[in-house]
Amino acid sequence: MPFSNCLYAVVCFCLLQTIIYIVDKELIINATESGVELALLEDGKLVELQHQKTNNNFTVGDILIGKIRKMMPGLNAAFIDIGHRKDAFLHYTDLGPKLRSLVKWTNGVMNGSINTHKLDNFKYEDEIVKTGKVDQVLNKRWPVLVQILKEPISTKGPRLSCELTLPGRYMVLSPFSDTVSVSKKISSGEERKRLHTLAESIKPKNFGLIIRTAAEGKKVQELHEELVRLMGQWEDIYKQLKTATPPAKLLSELDKPASVLRDMLSDGFSRIVVNEKDLYTDIRAYMQNISPDQVGIVQFHNSSKPVFDAFSVTKQIKASFGKTATMNSGAYVIIEKTEAMHVVDVNSGHKISTNDVEQTIFGVNLEAAEEIARQIRLRDIGGLIVIDFIDMKNPEHKKLLAKKMEDFMRKDRSQHTILPLSKFGLMQITRERARQEVVVDTAEMCPTCGGTGKINASILLTDDIERDLEFIMQSRPKMPLHLRVHPFLDAFLKKGLISQQVRWWFKYSKWIRILPQADSQLMDYRFYDGNEDEIRLN
């Protein structure tokens, strides 16, 4: 091969390696008649799954004008009518210190005495005390300007706050505040100081600003343009409030795809795939506004194959939800939900065999910690989570496991607190609950019993066979081996020129005989050695 061709091949290989390294986050959007499903993949692994129904009228972040239905001094809270079938809950701690100023402005706009959305000449009222009572600061006749803090969960209505925020990609605008803060995730002290100075220079009077992590490295023009957009939203609220009759919605949060892009879009995104033409056009237009350089990563999925199937999202959903989640090593975690908490149990499985038991247990716990962090984020589990790791005797292993759990949870946008392992080997995590937990029923109706029972997802059967085969080949590589399965499964494993059976031959340098067995159950499989003795792995 000429030298120039060799050089070209090396350059292409290096570029390919760079591309592979850059590929980090992918957002797959599946639009259906009932709503929009979003799957976030990190390094090809499903980490978030969200669903927005077309008839969902109340979303976290919506701003509404409500009316007080009843005061509950015993709970130190009020129930507010915002148009939902259940009254929303407003606790005293969510009123905010500037409540009196907010009520004064709201009443002034509605009765016509305030004729501008700007707060330059607005005079603040005294702040409310933290230990006060709700019936001392609210009057049942007053309309209340509120923002949805949590969506309706189970039997509870929405939870509200009077501390209003208008989020953008680079900043969050807070009316009736005068503070500027910069995200602590920006590590450079010099950059944080620069952003703080910029924010102070462009901040409108009597408005606060929170500078988000995405603002790192951005110029004053980009920040100012977003501030103008956010002030435009505040002006829209003012205009609607002038003629509104409570309860009424004044500002809707962005739809799910746009809000996810606003909050999460970074240089790490390599691809955004959409399967519906109108939504594809809308997302490209939105990307043009917030990040013109990344418009090219938005792709339209124009194929008869469902978009979730094309990117293996469906298979990952089947594997990730349910009571048990199995990891590559054969270890697994069991996730149980109770009324008060979620409980997670870590099990090593039957395929762990080594002389260094303590190190093996530590390795299983580390692998389980990473999977549990993904499961918490994927299922959007909130409240109290208790994890029962496999007991470890080494104190250093316990400290390292707690630190690693913090690292694994760092990508989680929801607020959470992680406590170190207790003397009983339990780890406690509390996580913010803002919406309903994601629940997916992955069990399928059993084809062999006429629908009277359920089996694990059939799409995962070949993965189970692969894990068992991997273990057998590692523990007894020279032993003669064959596999007996139902004729349907036999046909599947042998189909095609490069069948699964041929792939095993390439992988293990050993021919694994597959024998059809008519009396086998459809999902049943068994390994046998050269003496026709069954190899029992359970």
Side-chain angles (χ1 to χ4, degrees), residues 112-340:
S113 61
I114 293 179
N115 54 16
T116 177
H117 68 288
K118 297 180 180 179
L119 303 177
D120 296 9
N121 301 316
F122 182 79
K123 186 178 179 182
Y124 281 150
E125 296 294 310
D126 294 337
E127 295 185 359
I128 65 173
V129 296
K130 292 182 179 179
T131 56
K133 299 294 182 183
V134 69
D135 52 356
Q136 296 172 351
V137 296
L138 284 180
N139 188 306
K140 201 170 180 180
R141 298 189 301 272
W142 295 345
V144 186
L145 195 60
V146 293
Q147 188 166 27
I148 294 183
L149 200 62
K150 294 183 180 180
E151 292 179 4
I153 298 175
S154 185
T155 59
K156 301 174 184 177
R159 181 157 183 170
L160 306 177
S161 171
C162 287
E163 295 187 275
L164 308 183
T165 56
L166 300 175
R169 188 184 177 206
Y170 303 132
M171 65 183 69
V172 178
L173 181 69
S174 305
F176 309 104
S177 174
D178 208 26
T179 60
V180 171
S181 59
V182 180
S183 170
K184 293 180 180 178
K185 291 183 180 180
I186 298 176
S187 55
S188 169
E190 204 172 293
E191 176 64 8
R192 296 181 75 225
K193 185 177 180 180
R194 181 188 76 89
L195 290 171
H196 192 282
T197 304
L198 284 181
E200 287 282 8
S201 67
I202 62 176
K203 180 183 74 66
K205 187 177 179 182
N206 289 334
F207 285 87
L209 285 179
I210 302 171
I211 304 301
R212 307 181 74 169
T213 311
E216 186 172 8
K218 301 302 177 184
K219 298 179 180 177
V220 65
Q221 179 184 350
E222 294 172 280
L223 300 180
H224 185 263
E225 286 174 355
E226 181 163 270
L227 179 61
V228 170
R229 286 199 297 272
L230 295 177
M231 284 299 294
Q233 290 183 1
W234 178 248
E235 185 176 8
D236 291 340
I237 292 173
Y238 159 76
K239 289 177 179 177
Q240 292 191 62
L241 188 58
K242 289 172 68 175
T243 57
T245 302
K249 185 184 291 187
L250 305 180
L251 179 72
S252 287
E253 170 66 306
L254 296 169
D255 57 22
K256 270 286 197 306
S259 63
V260 168
L261 290 175
R262 180 197 65 200
D263 294 341
M264 299 185 61
L265 186 65
S266 66
D267 294 337
F269 266 89
S270 60
R271 181 161 50 183
I272 299 169
V273 184
V274 193
N275 71 332
E276 203 266 328
K277 195 68 178 178
D278 291 340
L279 186 57
Y280 164 76
T281 304
D282 292 343
I283 289 176
R284 279 186 65 90
Y286 181 71
M287 289 284 288
Q288 189 67 49
N289 284 330
I290 67 168
S291 184
D293 296 341
Q294 292 180 282
V295 172
I297 68 175
V298 183
Q299 301 173 9
F300 177 60
H301 180 73
N302 188 17
S303 170
S304 58
K305 190 174 185 179
V307 65
F308 271 14
D309 290 353
F311 291 90
S312 298
V313 175
T314 302
K315 184 174 181 178
Q316 291 198 55
I317 291 173
K318 295 280 189 183
S320 300
F321 287 88
K323 182 178 176 180
T324 303
T326 305
M327 293 164 281
N328 291 334
S329 67
Y332 60 95
V333 295
I334 298 174
I335 303 171
E336 294 274 11
K337 179 183 179 182
T338 70
E339 191 66 28

Side-chain angles (χ1 to χ4, degrees), residues 393-428:
K393 296 178 181 178
N394 190 329
E396 289 301 317
H397 284 173
K398 293 181 179 181
K399 290 180 184 178
L400 187 55
L401 178 62
K403 185 179 182 304
K404 280 292 186 179
M405 193 70 192
E406 291 176 359
D407 293 340
F408 295 142
M409 292 286 289
R410 193 159 282 132
K411 295 178 183 178
D412 194 340
R413 290 175 294 149
S414 296
Q415 294 183 1
H416 57 270
T417 302
I418 302 172
L419 298 182
L421 286 168
S422 71
K423 64 178 181 179
F424 300 112
L426 301 177
M427 178 181 287
Q428 298 177 61

Side-chain angles (χ1 to χ4, degrees), residues 40-49 312-313 315-321 324-328 333 335 367-381 405 408-412 429 431:
L40 178 65
L41 308 179
E42 290 183 356
D43 294 327
K45 216 169 186 180
L46 181 66
V47 294
E48 285 191 26
L49 185 66
S312 298
V313 175
K315 184 174 181 178
Q316 291 198 55
I317 291 173
K318 295 280 189 183
S320 300
F321 287 88
T324 303
T326 305
M327 293 164 281
N328 291 334
V333 295
I335 303 171
E367 185 184 19
E370 184 174 10
E371 177 62 21
I372 290 167
R374 185 180 79 96
Q375 288 284 341
I376 290 172
R377 189 174 166 194
L378 177 60
R379 300 179 187 222
D380 207 1
I381 297 174
M405 193 70 192
F408 295 142
M409 292 286 289
R410 193 159 282 132
K411 295 178 183 178
D412 194 340
I429 299 175
R431 185 174 182 270

